[in-house]
Amino acid sequence: MKIVIAGSSGLVGVRAYGFAGARWAHGSAAAAQRERHTKENGSGDRNQTRNRTMAQPNSSAKIIDVTWNPNTCDLEGEPFGADQEKIEGSDALVNLAGASIAGSSWSKERKAVLRSSRVHITRELVCAIEKLEDGPKTIVNASAIGYYGNRGDEVLTEESKPGEDFLAKLASEWEAEAVKAEALGLRVVRLRFGIILAKHGGALPQMMRPFKFGVGGRIGSGQQWVSWIALQDVVSLIREALQNRAISGALNVVSPQPVRNVDFTQALGRAMHRPAIIPAPAFALELVLGEMSEMLLGSQRVMPSRLEQLGFRFSQRDLSAALASILAEP
C-alpha cells in the first residue's frame, strides 16, 4: 500500500511515519529517530518543512510534509512539490497537518494560524489531488471532538450536532474541506480525536507536570467529562481505516469509557504515586488562559458508537490500566 502522509511531525505523525508495507513499524530506525526528536524538542510548529521520502526496505510508504507560512496563512508552493509525479498511483492520503492547539494563547493571529494549518492546507491538498491523473483513492483526515463544543453531561455520538465555540467551528470547517474530496470519488474518513494519551508528546506530559511537584488535582469543578484514547489505539485505527474500504465518514476516536476530570486526575495521581488534592480554580485558568481555558473546563462525553458497531478492538478501554501501561513505557 502506497501512503502519503501530510503532517508527519506531530504526536500521531511520528508513529505514522513508521508505516511499512501492511504494518505500522513502531521499532523502525526512522520512526525511532523521529520519536526521539519529538521527545527532546517537542512537536511544535515549523514555518517550513520539506518533502521527504521514507527510506525503508520493502516499503512503498511515502512521507510528505506540507509547507505553509504562518505569517501569511498560506501554503508555500504546491503541496506535493517536486514529488508530485512520485505520488501518482498512491492508495491513500493521511492528513494530520495542524498547528498545536495548546501551543500558545489564542490571539487573533494565533487563531489564523490554527485555521490556516487545518482548513487551508486541507483545501489545497484536495485541490492538488484533483489535478493528479492517478491520485489517492482514500483520505483519512484528522479532526477533533472539539467539533461538539462544551456539552455538559450530554452523550455525544457521531450523529450529534456541532457546537458553536471556536474549536467547534474550526473542526467543522476542517471536516468540510475534507468532505469535498467525496465529489471526486474519494472515500473520506474523518477521525475526531479525543485526548490522545502518550508518555512522550501530546497532552499527558503537560497534565503530569503539576503532579510531579505534588500540586496536582482536579481542574475547575472536576465534573467535566474527559474523552480519551491511547496512542496505540489511534495508530491501530488509522491502519484499519486505510485497509477497510467499508469505513467512511466521521469516527469518534475515543475510548468507550470517558471519565469525569476529577476521576481522571485521581487515576493519574495513583499511576504516578502522587497526591491529587490541589484543585486548579476555574477563575484562575480563565484569567491566565482566556478563551483557551475552554479546552480544560469544557465537557465532552463522547462515545465511539461507530467504532463499536464496526467491532474495533480497543487495546486500552480502562483509564487506570491505560495510564499504568503508558507510564511503564521507556
Side-chain angles (χ1 to χ4, degrees):
M1 181 176 282
K2 188 176 181 181
I3 307 298
V4 178
I5 302 178
S8 63
S9 63
L11 175 64
V12 177
V14 167
R15 291 293 181 95
Y17 196 85
F19 188 83
R23 70 184 181 91
W24 292 92
H26 294 274
S28 71
Q33 181 178 7
R34 288 173 63 79
E35 191 154 0
R36 283 195 298 271
H37 176 79
T38 299
K39 292 176 185 177
E40 295 169 2
N41 303 308
S43 60
D45 306 339
R46 291 182 296 174
N47 293 1
Q48 294 186 355
T49 55
R50 296 181 179 180
N51 295 344
R52 292 168 292 181
T53 302
M54 183 174 71
Q56 286 192 27
N58 304 318
S59 172
S60 59
K62 175 71 178 179
I63 304 304
I64 297 295
D65 279 338
V66 176
T67 302
W68 58 287
N69 187 328
N71 295 316
T72 63
C73 299
D74 290 321
L75 289 170
E76 296 182 345
E78 289 294 326
F80 299 148
D83 286 330
Q84 184 159 333
E85 289 185 3
K86 298 178 183 178
I87 295 169
E88 293 281 0
S90 58
D91 296 288
L93 164 68
V94 179
N95 180 21
L96 303 170
S100 173
I101 290 290
S104 61
S105 61
W106 293 349
S107 63
K108 181 179 180 181
E109 293 74 19
R110 183 61 183 176
K111 284 184 175 181
V113 170
L114 296 177
R115 187 175 186 278
S116 168
S117 63
R118 289 167 173 78
V119 179
H120 291 185
I121 284 181
T122 301
R123 180 184 303 147
E124 292 298 327
L125 288 172
V126 172
C127 288
I129 288 174
E130 186 176 13
K131 298 175 184 177
L132 298 175
E133 293 184 6
D134 184 21
K137 308 302 185 295
T138 296
I139 294 181
V140 177
N141 204 82
S143 184
I145 61 171
Y147 173 92
Y148 301 110
N150 183 3
R151 305 286 277 270
D153 290 335
E154 180 183 354
V155 176
L156 302 168
T157 71
E158 288 85 355
E159 302 302 319
S160 299
K161 295 181 180 180
E164 297 292 336
D165 59 26
F166 169 68
L167 289 180
K169 292 178 179 178
L170 177 61
S172 294
E173 287 187 73
W174 193 6
E175 292 189 19
E177 293 300 330
V179 168
K180 290 178 181 178
E182 292 179 349
L184 305 178
L186 276 69
R187 176 173 66 98
V188 178
V189 183
R190 292 166 281 139
L191 303 181
R192 293 174 182 165
F193 293 129
I195 296 176
I196 300 174
L197 300 183
K199 187 172 184 179
H200 304 288
L204 186 58
Q206 303 301 320
M207 295 176 177
M208 293 170 60
R209 187 168 297 166
F211 287 88
K212 291 180 179 179
F213 297 98
V215 293
R218 61 176 169 80
I219 296 175
S221 69
Q223 294 305 298
Q224 65 271 36
W225 287 93
V226 178
S227 296
W228 60 276
I229 184 78
L231 177 60
Q232 179 181 349
D233 283 328
V234 171
V235 174
S236 296
L237 176 58
I238 293 176
R239 179 176 61 187
E240 180 69 15
L242 287 170
Q243 296 176 342
N244 187 348
R245 294 196 59 81
I247 299 176
S248 64
L251 296 175
N252 288 337
V253 186
V254 295
S255 160
Q257 297 181 19
V259 297
R260 294 190 186 274
N261 173 265
V262 64
D263 298 318
F264 186 99
T265 53
Q266 288 175 354
L268 181 56
R270 286 193 300 271
M272 295 180 64
H273 306 289
R274 294 288 191 276
I277 57 176
I278 302 179
F283 76 87
L285 293 171
E286 292 168 350
L287 181 64
V288 173
L289 300 176
E291 187 180 4
M292 195 167 69
S293 65
E294 68 188 43
M295 289 196 310
L296 302 174
L297 300 173
S299 179
Q300 293 164 333
R301 190 180 184 180
V302 183
M303 300 302 296
S305 298
R306 292 201 59 216
L307 289 185
E308 294 193 305
Q309 292 170 5
L310 291 165
F312 179 76
R313 295 185 178 181
F314 292 88
S315 66
Q316 300 290 350
R317 301 173 68 96
D318 175 76
L319 178 62
S320 294
L323 288 172
S325 176
I326 291 167
L327 297 186
E329 294 175 0

